[in-house]
Amino acid sequence: MDRIKTQANRLWQLISNPSTAATYQQTLGTTWAILKETGLLLWLVVCLVFVLGDWFWQASYATGQKTRIWIDNLQASTQEATTETSGSDLLNKTGQSLLSVGQTSFAAALAAAKGQLGIEATPAAKPIGLIPPSPEAAAPAPISPIASTAPVTPETSPADAPEG
Protein backbone atom coordinates (compact mmCIF):
# COMPACT_ATOMS: atom_id res chain seq x y z
CA MET A 1 0.00 0.00 0.00
CA ASP A 2 2.89 2.26 0.79
CA ARG A 3 4.32 1.73 -2.66
CA ILE A 4 1.03 2.79 -4.36
CA LYS A 5 0.91 5.96 -2.28
CA THR A 6 4.50 6.81 -3.24
CA GLN A 7 3.80 6.23 -6.93
CA ALA A 8 0.61 8.37 -6.78
CA ASN A 9 2.59 11.22 -5.14
CA ARG A 10 5.27 11.03 -7.85
CA LEU A 11 2.61 11.12 -10.57
CA TRP A 12 0.85 14.10 -8.94
CA GLN A 13 4.14 16.02 -8.69
CA LEU A 14 4.79 15.39 -12.38
CA ILE A 15 1.29 16.51 -13.38
CA SER A 16 1.27 19.59 -11.13
CA ASN A 17 4.73 20.72 -12.23
CA PRO A 18 4.53 24.12 -14.00
CA SER A 19 6.78 22.90 -16.82
CA THR A 20 4.27 20.11 -17.60
CA ALA A 21 1.46 22.63 -18.20
CA ALA A 22 3.75 24.79 -20.34
CA THR A 23 4.81 21.74 -22.39
CA TYR A 24 1.20 20.73 -23.04
CA GLN A 25 0.23 24.30 -23.97
CA GLN A 26 3.12 24.49 -26.41
CA THR A 27 2.20 21.09 -27.87
CA LEU A 28 -1.43 22.05 -28.35
CA GLY A 29 -0.46 25.40 -29.88
CA THR A 30 1.93 23.75 -32.30
CA THR A 31 -0.62 21.07 -33.21
CA TRP A 32 -3.28 23.73 -33.90
CA ALA A 33 -0.84 25.70 -36.09
CA ILE A 34 0.01 22.54 -38.06
CA LEU A 35 -3.68 21.73 -38.59
CA LYS A 36 -4.49 25.30 -39.62
CA GLU A 37 -1.61 25.51 -42.11
CA THR A 38 -2.47 22.07 -43.52
CA GLY A 39 -6.08 23.13 -44.03
CA LEU A 40 -4.99 26.34 -45.77
CA LEU A 41 -2.63 24.40 -48.02
CA LEU A 42 -5.39 21.96 -48.96
CA TRP A 43 -7.76 24.86 -49.72
CA LEU A 44 -5.16 26.53 -51.96
CA VAL A 45 -4.58 23.24 -53.78
CA VAL A 46 -8.33 22.93 -54.39
CA CYS A 47 -8.37 26.50 -55.75
CA LEU A 48 -5.36 25.74 -57.96
CA VAL A 49 -7.06 22.63 -59.37
CA PHE A 50 -10.15 24.74 -60.05
CA VAL A 51 -8.13 27.42 -61.88
CA LEU A 52 -6.17 24.82 -63.87
CA GLY A 53 -9.44 23.11 -64.77
CA ASP A 54 -10.77 26.43 -66.05
CA TRP A 55 -7.63 26.99 -68.10
CA PHE A 56 -7.89 23.50 -69.58
CA TRP A 57 -11.60 24.00 -70.30
CA GLN A 58 -11.00 27.32 -72.06
CA ALA A 59 -8.12 25.92 -74.12
CA SER A 60 -10.16 22.85 -75.08
CA TYR A 61 -13.22 24.93 -75.90
CA ALA A 62 -11.20 27.32 -78.10
CA THR A 63 -9.55 24.39 -79.87
CA GLY A 64 -12.94 22.77 -80.44
CA GLN A 65 -14.36 26.01 -81.80
CA LYS A 66 -11.42 26.46 -84.18
CA THR A 67 -11.66 22.84 -85.31
CA ARG A 68 -15.38 23.19 -85.91
CA ILE A 69 -14.88 26.37 -87.96
CA TRP A 70 -12.13 24.66 -89.95
CA ILE A 71 -14.33 21.62 -90.67
CA ASP A 72 -17.31 23.83 -91.57
CA ASN A 73 -15.15 25.84 -93.97
CA LEU A 74 -13.76 22.64 -95.47
CA GLN A 75 -17.24 21.21 -95.99
CA ALA A 76 -18.53 24.49 -97.42
CA SER A 77 -15.74 24.55 -99.98
CA THR A 78 -16.45 20.97 -101.16
CA GLN A 79 -20.25 21.04 -101.21
CA GLU A 80 -23.19 23.37 -100.85
CA ALA A 81 -24.15 24.32 -97.34
CA THR A 82 -27.42 22.82 -96.20
CA THR A 83 -29.94 24.73 -94.14
CA GLU A 84 -30.63 23.64 -90.60
CA THR A 85 -34.09 22.52 -89.59
CA SER A 86 -36.06 24.54 -87.07
CA GLY A 87 -35.78 21.72 -84.49
CA SER A 88 -32.00 21.76 -84.49
CA ASP A 89 -32.08 25.57 -84.41
CA LEU A 90 -34.22 25.45 -81.26
CA LEU A 91 -31.91 22.88 -79.72
CA ASN A 92 -28.91 25.07 -80.53
CA LYS A 93 -30.49 28.14 -78.90
CA THR A 94 -31.47 26.14 -75.80
CA GLY A 95 -27.95 24.77 -75.48
CA GLN A 96 -26.47 28.25 -75.80
CA SER A 97 -28.75 29.65 -73.09
CA LEU A 98 -27.90 26.78 -70.72
CA LEU A 99 -24.21 27.29 -71.47
CA SER A 100 -24.56 30.99 -70.71
CA VAL A 101 -26.12 30.31 -67.29
CA GLY A 102 -23.44 27.74 -66.44
CA GLN A 103 -20.66 30.09 -67.53
CA THR A 104 -22.00 32.87 -65.29
CA SER A 105 -21.98 30.61 -62.21
CA PHE A 106 -18.60 29.18 -63.09
CA ALA A 107 -17.13 32.65 -63.62
CA ALA A 108 -18.21 33.75 -60.13
CA ALA A 109 -16.68 30.65 -58.51
CA LEU A 110 -13.51 31.01 -60.57
CA ALA A 111 -13.12 34.66 -59.57
CA ALA A 112 -13.38 33.65 -55.90
CA ALA A 113 -10.77 30.90 -56.35
CA LYS A 114 -8.38 33.26 -58.15
CA GLY A 115 -8.87 35.78 -55.34
CA GLN A 116 -7.93 33.13 -52.78
CA LEU A 117 -4.76 32.31 -54.74
CA GLY A 118 -3.89 35.97 -55.27
CA ILE A 119 -4.08 35.62 -59.05
CA GLU A 120 -5.06 38.79 -60.89
CA ALA A 121 -8.41 38.42 -62.63
CA THR A 122 -8.07 38.59 -66.41
CA PRO A 123 -10.89 39.81 -68.64
CA ALA A 124 -12.85 36.96 -70.16
CA ALA A 125 -11.92 36.13 -73.72
CA LYS A 126 -14.68 36.47 -76.28
CA PRO A 127 -15.79 33.01 -77.48
CA ILE A 128 -14.99 32.31 -81.11
CA GLY A 129 -17.84 31.93 -83.57
CA LEU A 130 -20.69 33.04 -81.31
CA ILE A 131 -22.98 35.83 -82.45
CA PRO A 132 -22.82 38.85 -80.13
CA PRO A 133 -26.15 40.05 -78.70
CA SER A 134 -27.90 42.83 -80.55
CA PRO A 135 -27.53 46.37 -79.14
CA GLU A 136 -31.29 46.51 -78.55
CA ALA A 137 -31.14 43.43 -76.31
CA ALA A 138 -28.25 44.84 -74.28
CA ALA A 139 -29.87 48.20 -73.56
CA PRO A 140 -32.11 48.20 -70.47
CA ALA A 141 -35.62 49.52 -70.83
CA PRO A 142 -36.09 53.07 -69.50
CA ILE A 143 -37.71 53.30 -66.09
CA SER A 144 -40.69 55.60 -65.93
CA PRO A 145 -41.53 57.31 -62.65
CA ILE A 146 -44.74 56.28 -60.91
CA ALA A 147 -47.13 59.18 -60.88
CA SER A 148 -48.96 59.83 -57.65
CA THR A 149 -52.74 60.20 -57.79
CA ALA A 150 -52.73 62.80 -55.02
CA PRO A 151 -51.81 66.34 -56.07
CA VAL A 152 -48.87 67.96 -54.36
CA THR A 153 -49.84 71.29 -52.84
CA PRO A 154 -47.81 73.77 -50.80
CA GLU A 155 -49.29 72.24 -47.63
CA THR A 156 -48.09 68.72 -48.57
CA SER A 157 -44.71 67.65 -49.77
CA PRO A 158 -44.05 64.80 -52.23
CA ALA A 159 -43.00 62.65 -49.26
CA ASP A 160 -46.44 63.14 -47.65
CA ALA A 161 -48.31 62.07 -50.78
CA PRO A 162 -49.74 58.54 -50.67
CA GLU A 163 -47.94 56.02 -52.82
CA GLY A 164 -49.87 54.74 -55.82
Side-chain angles (χ1 to χ4, degrees):
M1 186 74 157
D2 203 24
R3 192 166 177 198
I4 293 175
K5 195 174 197 179
T6 305
Q7 183 61 37
N9 285 336
R10 287 175 63 191
L11 177 62
W12 179 248
Q13 286 175 353
L14 183 62
I15 290 173
S16 63
N17 190 349
S19 65
T20 303
T23 302
Y24 276 111
Q25 284 178 344
Q26 184 179 9
T27 301
L28 290 175
T30 303
T31 302
W32 175 248
I34 290 171
L35 290 175
K36 190 170 91 172
E37 295 301 321
T38 302
L40 182 60
L41 177 63
L42 290 175
W43 172 247
L44 292 176
V45 168
V46 167
C47 289
L48 180 64
V49 167
F50 193 56
V51 170
L52 289 176
D54 174 61
W55 171 81
F56 180 76
W57 172 261
Q58 286 182 357
S60 300
Y61 190 77
T63 303
Q65 288 276 329
K66 290 176 185 176
T67 304
R68 182 176 180 177
I69 290 170
W70 178 72
I71 290 172
D72 287 347
N73 289 340
L74 185 63
Q75 286 177 349
S77 67
T78 59
Q79 57 182 315
E80 285 187 16
T82 59
T83 59
E84 292 186 37
T85 62
S86 62
S88 64
D89 204 25
L90 177 65
L91 184 62
N92 188 20
K93 288 180 182 179
T94 304
Q96 285 180 350
S97 66
L98 287 174
L99 181 64
S100 173
V101 169
Q103 285 176 340
T104 303
S105 300
F106 183 76
L110 180 63
K114 284 183 178 183
Q116 288 287 316
L117 289 173
I119 297 174
E120 185 176 319
T122 57
K126 191 174 184 180
I128 300 171
L130 296 180
I131 300 171
S134 65
E136 297 86 26
I143 300 173
S144 62
I146 299 175
S148 174
T149 56
V152 178
T153 61
E155 294 83 26
T156 62
S157 68
D160 295 334
E163 291 187 25

